[in-house]
Amino acid sequence: MRTTRLSLALGAALAVSLTLTGCAAGAADTSRAGSATASPATSTANDADILFAQMMIPHHEQAVQMSENLLAKTGSTAEVRALATAITAAQQPEIDRFRSWLDAWGADEGMGGMDHGTDGMMSDDDMSMLDDASGADADRLFLEQMIVHHQGAIAMAQTEVTEGRHPDAVALAEQIASSQTAEITMMQDLLEGM
């Protein structure tokens, strides 16, 4: 019964991720079109919006890297592989969207202020441990690291919701907080089942 519940939850998460990816891609196209016409929506970004986009790009890139690393391994469970696939499917289009916004806002991608430990970013040693792990150990390490990683993203998203001004950026922050909170619950369930 636990496996059925997790399978259904992971299937639903993948479906939601793919749906949101389609929404994100459409919104990114709108942002690009808006930047060409200098619409008011592109001019409402404040420093918090810019910092959020700048911080989320490397954060999401690392989550995608972690997921691709796991997917390249053998011996992982179908549930963990489905989760890694859903994370990549959701976060790569969001990276593209953040880049589009920064371009429209006239801001560069570089940023300071990432604080390993509070933003959930994995250290080089953490990434090496995941690289070296295999089978059930890789699954466990991926889930443990991704929970911490997601917690950092949720904290950044909550700051954007509170301090951001750009409506699309705030909406995406709310979406990230919601979807990654649900994924944390799934990951905790998977860890309990190991």
Side-chain angles (χ1 to χ4, degrees):
M1 179 145 172
R2 180 189 257 308
T3 303
T4 302
R5 183 171 59 100
L6 284 174
S7 295
L8 290 173
L10 287 169
L14 182 57
V16 168
S17 293
L18 294 174
T19 300
L20 295 175
T21 298
C23 294
D29 292 342
T30 302
S31 294
R32 281 190 209 103
S35 67
T37 60
S39 74
T42 62
S43 64
T44 60
N46 65 9
D47 289 345
D49 298 315
I50 292 168
L51 185 61
F52 175 62
Q54 289 172 328
M55 290 177 69
M56 289 305 291
I57 290 170
H59 202 272
H60 273 16
E61 285 175 335
Q62 188 177 66
V64 169
Q65 180 185 358
M66 291 166 68
S67 297
E68 289 175 347
N69 182 324
L70 180 90
L71 291 168
K73 297 178 183 295
T74 58
S76 293
T77 65
E79 291 85 4
V80 175
R81 293 181 71 78
L83 180 64
T85 299
I87 288 169
T88 300
Q91 293 194 20
Q92 186 58 56
E94 290 174 1
I95 292 168
D96 298 338
R97 190 173 184 190
F98 288 127
R99 285 189 171 129
S100 174
W101 285 342
L102 289 172
D103 184 54
W105 299 336
D108 64 29
E109 200 174 304
M111 45 64 69
M114 290 296 272
D115 178 16
H116 296 287
T118 60
D119 60 16
M121 290 288 283
M122 295 297 108
S123 68
D124 290 341
D125 287 344
D126 293 330
M127 294 298 284
S128 292
M129 286 173 52
L130 183 58
D131 286 343
D132 295 341
S134 61
D137 288 338
D139 282 358
R140 180 192 49 75
L141 195 55
F142 173 79
L143 294 170
E144 290 171 349
Q145 289 181 346
M146 195 60 76
I147 287 169
V148 172
H149 203 268
H150 274 23
Q151 289 167 338
I154 291 166
M156 289 188 287
Q158 289 169 337
T159 298
E160 169 62 13
V161 169
T162 302
E163 299 176 9
R165 185 172 63 187
H166 191 277
D168 291 342
V170 171
L172 182 55
E174 290 171 341
Q175 172 192 310
I176 288 169
S178 175
S179 64
Q180 293 198 15
T181 297
E183 286 176 351
I184 286 173
T185 300
M186 284 185 265
M187 290 187 280
Q188 290 168 333
D189 285 348
L190 287 167
L191 279 170
E192 286 175 15
M194 289 184 156

